[in-house]
Amino acid sequence: MTVRGDFKEPARPRPELVIGREELFAGAREQLSGGGSVLVHGPAGIGKSTVLRALAAECAESARTVLRCSATESESHLPFLALADLLGLVVDEIADRLPAPQRTALESALTGRGESTLQRDGLALRLAVLSAFRALAARGPVLIVADDLQWLDPASAELLGFAARRLGGTPVRMLCAVRTETEPQAQDHDRFLRATVPDTLALRLAPLARAQVAELLLQRGYTGLPRSTVRDIHRTSGGNPLFALELGRALAESPTRPSPGEPLPVPTSLRALVLSRLDMLSAEARRTLLVASAGARPTLALLHAAGRENAEAETASAAALGLLATERDTPGIRFAHPLVSAALYAEADAQERRAAHSALSRAASDPIERARHLALATTGTDPAVAARLGEAAAAARDRGAPSVAVGLGLLAARHTPADTRPSSDERRLQAAEDALTAGETDLARDIARQVLARATAAPDRVRAWMVVVDSAGQAMAEIDAVFPQALADAGDDPGLVALVRYQLGWRALLMDGEMTKAREEAARSARLAARAGDRRTELLALGFQAQMETLMGHPDAPATIQRAMREPQDPRVACDHNGAGAARFRWLIMGDRLAEARTAITALLREVQRRGMVESELHFLRGLAETELRSGHCGRALDLARESLRLARDTGIGEAATAMFTSLAEAAGGDVDRALALAHEAVDRAEEDGDMVYLSRALGALGHAELVAGDAAGAVRSLRRVRELEEALGVIDPARGRWHGDLAEALVRIGETAEAQDVIDVTRRRALRLERESVLAVLDRAEALVRAARGEQGPAERQLASAQDRLGKLGYGLEEARAAYALAGLRTLPTAPGLRAGGTAVPGPTAYDEAARLFRRCRALPWLRQVESAAALPPAAPPLAPTALDTLAATERQVAALVMEGATNREIAGRLFISVKTVEATLTRVYRKLGIRSRVDIVRLAAERRPD
């Protein structure tokens, strides 16, 4: 029990307590802050007590009295025990406020002195508990925290429920937790609601996602676990945090970790949860369940084929014990929880397991499954088994299941005798390459390192080095020492040297930021691979060369793409994210051929998803999202970007690049604060990896998000860095990052029109040479803002209208809407008579109607909010004298006009979507240009020019 005197703002819980529970916490906070009560429920180990403690820590600060009880199964037979926990320490404080019969009955129940029972003192006890809670509530808010309601002794549960149902209108909140069944559709928490106040919000704790399990394990110190192992932990635990942590602990304490495809070690603490029920099965039923646990997709038909004649009756008895989930309209057999299957398999001895696999190797209809079971039933090396496993791995690869192929390949290596072809190391390397395809980069690296530790053959060593390089992703700096070793192993073999030179091209790009050198290495690799007859490496090198030439604006880019697309083709390279198809997509989207780009990237995405090529899928999801964003389909782009970010987080592949692009999508159609956070994350990751290429892209996303957020000065800082980086990288094509218009616009907002014009002029020359029509239209939009800032209102309006029309015809919906928005803003600027060159004043709401319609069509919510705010602004104050106006930029005139209205710097910042610091800097320039010293002088100048 805790007593506090004053109300305080609830403290936020430590983030580690609520991994994956953000939405639940939001709902609970809203309910509790409104004086309501919450019942958290879910299966054992799902984290109810952890959530309860975190919520209680928040709410305790706003309660005068906190009453707690936490029941246990072993004590649930003791009457009034929970009641004693709740009221035992406070009964003396409120005893004198209870009628004598109630006081006597309550004291007898709490102390155990006397013979108080519900049967004898039922009414007096019920009224006493109700009176006690009311007396406590009269002194201030009361919070009742009750964990494990399922173990509450019946007497306490009855009394608590009686009081709770009658506490309406009093400041009493209840925060409770109860264990319920595993099935989400189960409603067995309903009966526990009777022990809480009316209208209690029931919240079910769901299993954690794989990424959340990974975060939990990392937080608790279980580091260094391969992602494939984390995946197995998530699958075996069913997303249950307690089970996941116990499995993580068992792995951390185990001297050897299981190979891919092998079951996880299940600690005794978890086995005990299910073994007691397993002991209630007959020996034959237990053998039947063991066969089911060994099978990938067990059915009754499979169990019969495996020799389990009484499978129906034996599985029915297991279901009655809660070990199997009853399935309707399906022949499948499903364990009530993955842990049941894992514990059952872990408990069996090696001979029992081999017998189960032997039976399944004859019964399974799928050749891949038959081969896997045959391997697990076989001890020692066996060339026939190894060959069957190799064939099964190839079949899995063709089916688009590379992660399955990994496990089969490693089993094949284990059963491969010495001095046979393919060798065990070759099989392991194929498994490592399959792991790369499946997105399991850490597993691929570990396998390659194992091969390098013992292999002597140059082809095996170079191939292993290439896996190590590929598994590093963008973080090339971490494996820089690999390249000299790989070149030494390659010797004079042109095929092996081609592999290394291809990767050296990537090193030159990512680490040194040298596109010219990267292109040269790619071309050299392609020539060497062609000499060696290695078409796969030649195609990859040509695809990379084409990408570099495209970004550099090199005239050979189209010809290189054509060379990369000639027959013969390697089907896997054709759809690889570094292949010719990807290079062609980049060429199409940079050349404003959006419809063709969408068709190309959609076909590539469909193919890599069919093949299970995870890294390529991630790239093409981003590519499709980019196409949709360029087309003005912001909602669709945001959905795709968020999907790609989930995949990147799950696999650990391309997180910086995906955060960068998701930032752009969030800024266009989602949440600007989220866009800023993702852009900062991308910048930090790229700088940490030493990745100059993606650093420039990340800074471009940051600058764009800052511009949308109204921080023009911040956008200028970020985008100036992009300009410097791309000049150093040798990026010529402005269609690569498309940041140039944003930089020019941000420069205009802070009054740097000369620099803005310079950005426009330099970029326009390049865009004209490369025929980048959409870039030219965006530059015209930015130049119109420069002209408006110089007082050329009429020409600026005409240029903006032309840019809007061209962007619309090209299919760039979002950019078209931005041009309409800029045009509306121009038409509502405070200006002096005669400066519109024939233009007519347009009322604010009418001027913004077209922009609002276009942004709404694009689902560009952040921009739409800006339009709605701008349209709602009051009419501008009378403008300054024409002679003064001529010296002010557009943003300076807007700020000055709002000063005349009496707006504060913070209000001005909010209205114009710029930062307070930008307002202050703008005012400083206004004072200097007008020869004045303060805001008062601005108002005075305005008053002097008003007509009498």
Side-chain angles (χ1 to χ4, degrees), residues 561-855:
I561 292 174
Q562 289 300 318
R563 284 177 60 201
M565 299 192 74
R566 288 176 193 155
E567 297 295 337
Q569 285 289 320
D570 182 308
R572 296 184 69 81
V573 174
C575 63
D576 188 274
H577 59 280
N578 290 322
R584 179 175 177 270
F585 160 73
R586 183 55 50 195
W587 177 260
L588 289 171
I589 198 169
M590 291 173 69
D592 300 327
R593 295 159 68 176
L594 296 181
E596 292 176 75
R598 182 184 290 105
T599 300
I601 198 68
T602 301
L604 287 167
L605 177 60
R606 188 179 300 117
E607 181 62 15
V608 298
Q609 287 175 332
R610 186 186 72 79
R611 291 178 175 272
M613 299 169 66
V614 173
E615 185 172 4
S616 294
E617 178 184 358
L618 182 60
H619 277 263
F620 296 150
L621 275 172
R622 291 201 306 258
L624 182 55
E626 180 181 358
T627 309
E628 298 296 351
L629 190 58
R630 300 275 174 249
S631 303
H633 305 151
C634 299
R636 171 70 172 149
L638 184 59
D639 289 342
L640 288 163
R642 287 174 174 172
E643 182 183 349
S644 69
L645 187 60
R646 285 191 294 270
L647 183 59
R649 300 275 197 239
D650 196 29
T651 60
I653 297 173
E655 291 186 77
T658 311
M660 174 273 297
F661 187 79
T662 308
S663 170
L664 292 172
E666 290 283 358
D671 180 83
V672 179
D673 288 338
R674 175 75 172 149
L676 288 166
L678 286 168
H680 279 295
E681 176 191 337
V683 169
D684 292 344
R685 291 290 294 271
E687 288 181 327
E688 181 183 333
D689 291 342
D691 184 344
M692 295 297 102
V693 173
Y694 272 111
L695 177 58
S696 71
R697 297 294 305 274
L699 285 166
L702 177 59
H704 179 73
E706 288 167 332
L707 183 68
V708 177
D711 183 6
V716 168
R717 284 193 299 272
S718 298
L719 297 176
R720 277 174 175 163
R721 285 189 66 193
V722 178
R723 192 181 190 190
E724 294 169 2
L725 280 169
E726 291 208 350
E727 289 297 328
L729 285 167
V731 177
I732 300 299
D733 197 328
R736 183 244 185 184
R738 297 178 182 267
W739 49 267
H740 314 76
D742 284 347
L743 175 55
E745 182 175 335
L747 286 165
V748 170
R749 289 193 190 184
I750 66 170
E752 299 291 345
T753 54
E755 185 181 348
Q757 189 64 56
D758 178 66
V759 171
I760 293 166
D761 292 342
V762 171
T763 309
R764 181 179 279 134
R765 286 194 292 272
R766 295 172 177 176
L768 282 168
R769 180 173 67 82
L770 296 168
E771 300 180 342
R772 301 305 192 213
E773 291 299 324
S774 64
V775 174
L776 289 168
V778 168
L779 292 173
D780 279 354
R781 184 183 70 200
E783 188 172 51
L785 298 177
V786 174
R787 299 178 79 170
R790 292 172 176 167
E792 303 172 27
Q793 190 82 4
E797 287 188 21
R798 290 191 292 274
Q799 190 171 16
L800 268 176
S802 172
Q804 178 185 341
D805 181 64
R806 287 155 56 204
L807 288 165
K809 289 177 179 177
L810 287 168
Y812 283 77
L814 181 58
E815 300 296 348
E816 176 192 6
R818 287 182 62 181
Y821 180 34
L823 184 58
L826 227 60
R827 288 173 173 167
T828 55
L829 281 176
T831 57
L835 286 182
R836 294 188 55 111
T840 333
V842 181
T846 303
Y848 286 109
D849 281 350
E850 174 70 359
R853 181 185 68 81
L854 292 174
F855 281 133

Side-chain angles (χ1 to χ4, degrees), residues 56 127 194 200 277 413 705 745 761 801 824 835 859 933:
L127 293 174
R194 293 195 295 271
T200 293
R277 283 181 285 170
E745 182 175 335
D761 292 342
L835 286 182
R859 286 186 59 193
R933 296 183 178 181

